[in-house]
Amino acid sequence: MINVVIFGAPGSGKGTQSAFMIEHYGLYHISTGDVLRDHISRKTELGEIARSYIDKGNLIPDDLMIDILASVIDEHRSDASKGFIFDGFPRTIAQAEAMDKLLADRGMRLNCVVGLDVPDEILIERLVNRGKESGRSDDNPETIRDRIALYYKVTSPLKDYYCRRGLFHSVKGWGDIDLITAGVWKIIDDSK
Ligand code: AMP
């Protein structure tokens, strides 16, 4: 089993690289953003709560997010015999600590955390373009800036958290897409 966190700012290409990893390694993809957007579109109670945070570019509270992750893992363990890709989780130190415990309790561990490094101006350009196509409520210029700022403030400190555990590796996340993908796969292959 290979369990990978794909890590980076909004717009860094986590979803794109996840799609390639699903195909190449047969991993089961958990995008917490997709899980929340699915609840919003189904108008569930959780969706209503999530919308109030997402539309403002804020993070969903840790306790709620950790419960959601645990239930998605438990629901899909049988689909994930090869392992999981965690995309968009963890986003805070509290989430990372809870995830360590959650995986250990299930006899699982993280193999690696793959960080995609992309300069801010490219992130903004990608997200503005994505917003035109996807209609995502949080892909508008003002919310994009808030989300990137929040990433630097509360999420990027996770790099140190995972560096200390020898799990963090980063890849240049812009330019030739084949090179990015090759860099991501090399990190995963070396972590097996
Ligand atoms: P994403 O699709 O990963 O960019 O997530 C979209 C939005 O969902 C984020 O801006 C947050 O509001 C919320 N979200 C997704 N994952 C998390 C998480 N792990 N912790 C808190 N909020 C999250």
Side-chain angles (χ1 to χ4, degrees):
M1 197 180 198
I2 316 167
N3 296 306
V4 180
V5 169
I6 184 88
F7 187 85
S12 58
K14 301 188 294 291
T16 303
Q17 287 302 323
S18 293
F20 297 148
M21 284 150 64
I22 296 167
E23 177 91 354
H24 187 70
Y25 295 101
L27 301 177
Y28 188 85
H29 179 221
I30 299 180
S31 153
T32 45
D34 284 351
V35 171
L36 297 169
R37 282 185 290 275
D38 176 57
H39 275 274
I40 292 175
S41 69
R42 289 189 287 116
K43 300 193 187 327
T44 67
E45 203 179 317
L46 171 59
E48 280 307 304
I49 299 169
R51 182 201 297 277
S52 64
Y53 292 95
I54 291 180
D55 283 356
K56 296 193 195 86
N58 291 332
L59 295 182
I60 275 72
D62 286 334
D63 289 353
L64 181 56
M65 221 42 244
I66 291 160
D67 285 348
I68 295 170
L69 185 81
S71 59
V72 179
I73 290 178
D74 289 338
E75 196 183 331
H76 292 287
R77 278 184 77 182
S78 56
D79 308 316
S81 56
K82 304 254 173 72
F84 286 102
I85 305 164
F86 298 99
D87 164 0
F89 192 103
R91 268 178 152 97
T92 64
I93 300 278
Q95 289 182 15
E97 287 170 348
M99 184 182 203
D100 284 342
K101 180 167 185 323
L102 214 145
L103 294 179
D105 286 349
R106 290 159 177 77
M108 294 156 62
R109 66 172 186 99
L110 278 184
N111 290 68
C112 58
V113 176
V114 183
L116 296 168
D117 271 341
V118 179
D120 288 2
E121 54 283 11
I122 299 182
L123 295 174
I124 294 166
E125 186 189 304
R126 286 181 184 172
L127 290 167
V128 169
N129 286 334
R130 183 173 78 183
K132 286 180 195 149
E133 286 158 24
S134 71
R136 255 179 72 161
S137 60
D138 55 349
D139 281 344
N140 61 76
E142 200 179 308
T143 312
I144 287 169
R145 282 178 201 283
D146 291 346
R147 284 159 61 212
I148 293 174
L150 196 61
Y151 166 79
Y152 285 115
K153 192 162 164 231
V154 302
T155 305
S156 72
L158 284 172
K159 290 182 189 177
D160 277 346
Y161 178 90
Y162 287 119
C163 272
R164 280 197 295 274
R165 286 160 180 73
L167 292 175
F168 188 81
H169 303 272
S170 64
V171 169
K172 179 186 165 202
W174 82 102
D176 182 341
I177 190 154
D178 291 339
L179 272 183
I180 303 172
T181 306
V184 171
W185 290 3
K186 172 149 187 4
I187 294 168
I188 297 172
D189 291 341
D190 289 348
S191 76
K192 281 182 186 166

